[in-house]
């Protein structure tokens, strides 16, 4: 079966000369600087990005009350505040056992997060602006724009807009962006890296392999199997005068940008960046090798070097060596010796973990009742084949399979969080699949010869409008409200309610507060401490009765309080992350 032509896109190519396709200036018809997409397209992308970021911010405010609920988020925010103060780590507080918290290193010499520094570095900017809760929604908006650019360069403008829409309306993405975990910034850096790689691979060729007919009247085209199509004119220019010209400089600049963005993704989540981007980097290397320009990969390496050097320097300063990690310091038995103990046997990974990931992804990406992964089925019959389809599928599969070998996996904010960054390539593939499906429907409509052309156009518009409403209604009007209600309140035993109750109880500005009850609930208070604690006016500590006297001696304050927060898990097997409060009280001891 051959993928039918797409008349609207051909019209764009005829009028503007393959606008938005790799290898030519991305010129548009609307006003704006030369080489920019049309103004209407830019406004549409800006609206999608703003809507996604605004909706994520609304969820953060109305559902999560601007409070981080995941221990990872709390650790990242803690380190971001340390960096914002101009330090790499804090000195350990007096009586360290009172401040123990998951994913936070507390040794004899330092107090800091165990995670890499990329995301805390961005959060430091948020702390300096007194709005760390703003960073994730903002980065989701940037990720939506990055997916659009990647889709535009790999396919065409319409596919880019569809991909941006797919990411912007994903409940999984919107919920994750409401907290402060590292997955959204890793997604943002990786999709922009993919966009830069797509620009570098496409530069010097008017269209991607299988892109459809080249504009009438252009050079005679020669299709190649390395991705782009080279015309006789561009091939001659590439072989001679363009060697040091603007085209080569553009490729090198995009490769350097891809290296920088990929390196920053490594600074955020190293394993995720390696597994997600490796297929795209390999594809880029293959294309450059086919063009006899493999040496240009040096520019990508040059872009990545500053981030890799920063990671090595940070690890040496904070964790004791350029190849050390906070993971190994926190759990040497599991993460020492290269982390071999974190891997599960292939039989477990492929027969248990991988199906688990696919099952959850099938229901969390957009929440369609027929399963989200079925959305990609048209790609199996799409003709002609496109190299970009395989590369994007390999990026998503590489990430999911790699984490299937990891000993731990969980569902956070409605989906398997270790597979979250696959939303970038999966949104692009979903858009490509919808374009293929739309082409089939358009071809079927053309066969209705009994209808006049205006009637056929009206039928196509009605079908497209109905499908669009359905595709937006299910994730945004059904799945997302359900998940917002599910995550409201005491998700992961964390809530803003205990601190609000303290304000009502009259806790003064100079107070020592003992936190008793369910151990998990200390997360609600941890970030209320403002290191260095010797100078902090309010100090929140775990209530460990044998250490009360030591706490009172170390942190003398005008007031001493004890708060008791207890929660229960009503459905520990089916819903282990949802808690309900059973006790919440404040009592002044002096």
């Amino acid at each position: 079966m051959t993928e039918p032509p797409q008349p609207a896109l051909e019209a764009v190519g005829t009028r503007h000369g393959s606008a938005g396709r790799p290898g030519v200036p991305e010129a548009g018809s609307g006003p704006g600087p030369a080489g920019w997409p049309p103004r209407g397209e830019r406004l549409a992308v800006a609206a999608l990005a703003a809507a996604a970021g605004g909706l994520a911010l609304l969820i953060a405010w109305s559902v999560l009350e601007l409070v981080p609920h995941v221990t990872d988020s709390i650790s990242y925010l803690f380190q971001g505040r340390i960096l914002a103060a101009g330090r790499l780590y804090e000195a350990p507080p007096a009586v360290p056992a009172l401040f123990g918290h998951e994913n936070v290193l507390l040794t004899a010499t330092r107090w800091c997060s165990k995670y890499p520094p990329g995301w805390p570095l961005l959060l430091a900017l948020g702390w300096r602006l007194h709005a760390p809760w703003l960073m994730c929604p903002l980065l989701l908006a940037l990720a939506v724009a990055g997916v659009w650019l990647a889709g535009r360069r790999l396919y065409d403008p319409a596919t880019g807009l569809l991909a941006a829409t797919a990411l912007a309306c994903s409940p999984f993405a919107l919920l994750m962006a409401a907290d402060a975990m590292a997955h959204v910034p890793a997604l943002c850096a990786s999709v922009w890296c993919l966009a830069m790689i797509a620009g570098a691979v496409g530069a010097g060729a008017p269209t991607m392999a299988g892109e459809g007919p080249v504009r009438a009247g252009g050079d005679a085209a020669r299709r190649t199997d390395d991705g782009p199509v080279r015309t006789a004119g561009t091939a001659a220019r590439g072989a001679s005068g363009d060697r040091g010209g603007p085209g080569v400089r553009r490729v090198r600049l995009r490769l350097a940008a891809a290296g920088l963005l990929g390196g920053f993704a490594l600074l955020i989540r190293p394993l995720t960046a390696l597994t997600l981007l490796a297929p795209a980097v390999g594809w880029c290397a293959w294309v450059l090798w086919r063009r006899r320009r493999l040496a240009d990969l040096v520019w990508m390496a040059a872009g990545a070097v500053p981030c890799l050097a920063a990671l090595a320097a940070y690890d040496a300063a904070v964790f004791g060596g350029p190849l050390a990690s906070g993971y190994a310091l926190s759990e040497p038995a599991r993460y020492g010796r290269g982390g071999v103990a974190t891997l599960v046997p292939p039989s477990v990974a492929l027969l248990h973990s991988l199906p688990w990931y696919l099952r959850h992804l099938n229901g969390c990406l957009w929440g369609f009742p027929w399963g989200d992964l079925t959305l990609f089925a048209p790609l199996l019959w799409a003709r002609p084949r496109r190299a970009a389809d395989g590369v994007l599928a390999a990026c998503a599969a590489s990430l999911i399979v790699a984490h299937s070998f990891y000993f731990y996996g969980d569902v956070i904010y409605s989906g398997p969080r270790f597979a979250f960054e696959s939303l970038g390539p999966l949104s692009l593939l979903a858009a490509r699949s919808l374009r293929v499906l739309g082409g089939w429907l358009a071809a079927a409509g053309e066969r209705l010869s009994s209808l006049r052309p205006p009637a056929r156009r009206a039928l196509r518009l009605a079908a497209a409008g109905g499908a669009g409403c359905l595709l937006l209604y299910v994730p945004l009007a059904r799945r997302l409200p359900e998940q917002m209600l599910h995550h409201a309140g005491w998700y992961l035993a964390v809530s803003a309610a205990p601190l609000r109750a303290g304000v009502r109880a009259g806790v003064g500005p100079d107070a020592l507060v003992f936190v008793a009850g369910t151990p998990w609930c200390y997360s609600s208070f941890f970030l209320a401490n403002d290191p260095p604690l010797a100078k902090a006016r309010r100090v929140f500590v775990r209530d460990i009765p044998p250490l009360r006297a030591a706490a009172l001696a170390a942190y003398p304050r005008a007031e001493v309080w004890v708060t008791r927060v207890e929660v229960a898990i009503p459905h520990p097997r089916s819903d282990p992350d949802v808690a309900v409060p059973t006790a919440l009280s404040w009592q002044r001891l002096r």
Side-chain angles (χ1 to χ4, degrees), residues 424-464:
L426 290 179
S427 295
L428 290 161
L429 289 173
R432 159 79 166 136
S433 184
L434 289 174
R435 292 281 286 154
V436 170
L437 188 59
W440 292 347
L441 294 176
E446 293 295 334
R447 296 191 184 99
L448 299 176
S449 55
S450 59
L451 295 178
R452 294 178 179 274
R456 289 201 296 268
R457 284 196 296 272
L459 183 62
R460 286 200 300 270
L461 287 174

Side-chain angles (χ1 to χ4, degrees), residues 246-403:
V248 171
R249 287 197 294 271
R250 186 183 303 115
V251 169
R252 290 173 176 173
L253 182 62
R254 289 174 176 175
L255 286 172
L260 181 64
L261 290 160
F264 199 77
L266 279 167
L267 270 176
I268 299 170
R269 290 187 57 80
L271 178 61
T272 293
L274 284 172
T275 55
L276 182 69
L277 297 175
V281 173
W283 177 50
C284 180
W286 181 61
V287 171
L288 292 175
W289 175 73
R290 293 292 299 267
R291 296 178 187 170
R292 297 180 176 84
R293 303 200 66 90
L294 189 60
D296 283 350
L297 279 181
V298 171
W299 291 88
M300 183 182 288
V305 162
C307 295
L308 297 178
L311 180 60
Y314 180 87
D315 288 345
V318 177
F319 304 130
L323 299 180
S325 75
Y327 290 92
L329 285 181
S330 63
E331 295 183 66
R334 187 182 295 277
Y335 291 97
R337 295 177 300 173
V340 176
T342 65
L343 301 178
V344 300
S347 58
V348 175
L350 300 178
L351 300 180
H352 174 74
S353 301
L354 181 58
W356 179 87
Y357 273 104
L358 296 178
R359 183 173 67 255
H360 283 285
L361 286 172
N362 194 42
C364 77
L365 298 177
W366 296 283
F368 296 122
W370 53 81
D372 295 334
L373 297 184
T374 59
L375 187 61
F376 305 105
L379 294 176
L380 298 175
W381 294 277
R383 296 293 186 275
R385 298 287 189 188
R386 299 197 187 185
D389 296 350
V391 172
L392 292 172
C395 289
S398 174
L399 175 69
I400 296 167
V401 171
H403 281 94

